Amino acid sequence: MPRSKYYTSDEVSAHNSADDLWVSFVGKVWDLTPLVREHRGDILLLPIIECAGKDISHWFDPKTKDILTHVDPVTSCVKYFTPRGRFLHVPPPRPRSDWDNDFGRPWWRDPRYEVGYLTAKSRWVRVVNTLTSQEQLLEVCSEEKLEEVQQRYVRYNAHASSYTWKHAGTPLLMDLTLVENGVPDEDPDMDRCRLDRDLFTPAICLYFNDDLTEL
């Protein structure tokens, strides 16, 4: 099975319209564009569209992965808690004859919309091509293996796999993460010392192997 992809918050926030709508919640990233397209014009889509590109974990119970509930002060019944307004697949607060619950799984439990995981922490690295002296600043996910970081770099260099990747003169293993390769994330130390983390970004140096290939 292919490894699930991790995304940064900035990558999720780029999908912030009704025609291209992603959200994240409880550590996962969801592409709700097909859902919006299927139910276009439904007023119950409004709270979802308003949160396009954002994290909506506060809508959910982290243990059950279901919508938060509360006790209705009028009926004393347990109901979904939707302070932004009722949204698609959430039942109405009172019984209604026009409520059609024959939709299968609610969208927040439908794996068809899952596209990957939201990174617990993103970090910046400098990728330096020693052949051309070009340097690229990349925001990557801390959980990503180096081969996945390489995939992010391909947009800047289609021959990224033709290089040996090194840090501090040591070749890096592509099936390990940056930390596992000995490239620590020093952001917490910088924050603790009240230093600007942008002042120091670890560098990964690329050395050409003279065997030009493309990914």
Side-chain angles (χ1 to χ4, degrees):
M1 293 290 291
R3 191 167 177 268
S4 296
K5 183 173 175 60
Y6 284 91
Y7 295 90
T8 67
S9 296
D10 284 347
E11 288 176 309
V12 176
S13 66
H15 304 270
N16 56 10
S17 69
D19 295 322
D20 181 19
L21 197 159
W22 287 23
V23 295
S24 62
F25 59 88
V26 199
K28 291 187 176 181
V29 177
W30 303 69
D31 180 1
L32 301 184
T33 309
L35 180 77
V36 173
R37 187 180 302 120
E38 179 183 355
H39 298 276
R40 188 176 297 277
D42 193 325
I43 190 64
L44 295 181
L45 284 174
L46 185 58
I48 298 174
I49 293 175
E50 288 177 342
C51 291
K54 299 178 181 178
D55 184 81
I56 56 173
S57 295
H58 57 284
W59 291 10
F60 297 86
D61 184 318
K63 293 183 178 179
T64 65
K65 308 294 193 296
D66 202 2
I67 305 296
L68 289 170
T69 59
H70 73 131
V71 177
D72 188 296
V74 176
T75 65
S76 296
C77 295
V78 177
K79 300 183 182 297
Y80 283 129
F81 182 60
T82 56
R84 293 187 66 94
R86 178 170 158 248
F87 51 84
L88 198 67
H89 295 169
V90 171
R94 306 285 187 276
R96 291 174 50 173
S97 60
D98 60 348
W99 164 244
D100 182 9
N101 61 359
D102 187 24
F103 50 75
R105 293 181 181 180
W107 60 262
W108 59 89
R109 290 188 178 276
D110 195 333
R112 292 179 301 169
Y113 302 122
E114 289 184 29
V115 294
Y117 291 93
L118 183 69
T119 182
K121 184 183 184 304
S122 62
R123 57 180 298 189
W124 291 89
V125 294
R126 289 185 298 122
V127 181
V128 181
N129 187 330
T130 59
L131 178 67
T132 64
S133 298
Q134 292 178 323
E135 181 177 316
Q136 186 62 48
L137 195 62
L138 291 182
E139 184 181 22
V140 303
C141 302
S142 58
E143 302 88 349
E144 288 179 323
K145 297 183 183 298
L146 201 59
E147 58 193 7
E148 294 170 298
V149 175
Q150 185 184 72
Q151 287 293 330
R152 291 179 178 275
Y153 180 67
V154 164
R155 75 181 69 175
Y156 306 105
N157 186 342
H159 305 288
S161 62
S162 297
Y163 292 77
T164 296
W165 291 50
K166 294 184 179 183
H167 173 69
T170 302
L172 303 179
L173 300 177
M174 306 304 288
D175 60 344
L176 298 181
T177 66
L178 288 169
V179 170
E180 292 169 342
N181 267 300
V183 187
D185 183 357
E186 298 186 287
D187 285 352
D189 294 331
M190 300 290 282
D191 292 341
R192 186 165 51 253
C193 295
R194 298 182 180 181
L195 297 174
D196 185 353
R197 62 176 61 177
D198 293 334
L199 294 176
F200 175 76
T201 304
I204 298 176
C205 295
L206 275 55
Y207 295 86
F208 186 54
N209 293 330
D210 200 24
D211 59 346
L212 204 60
T213 57
E214 292 188 16
L215 289 177

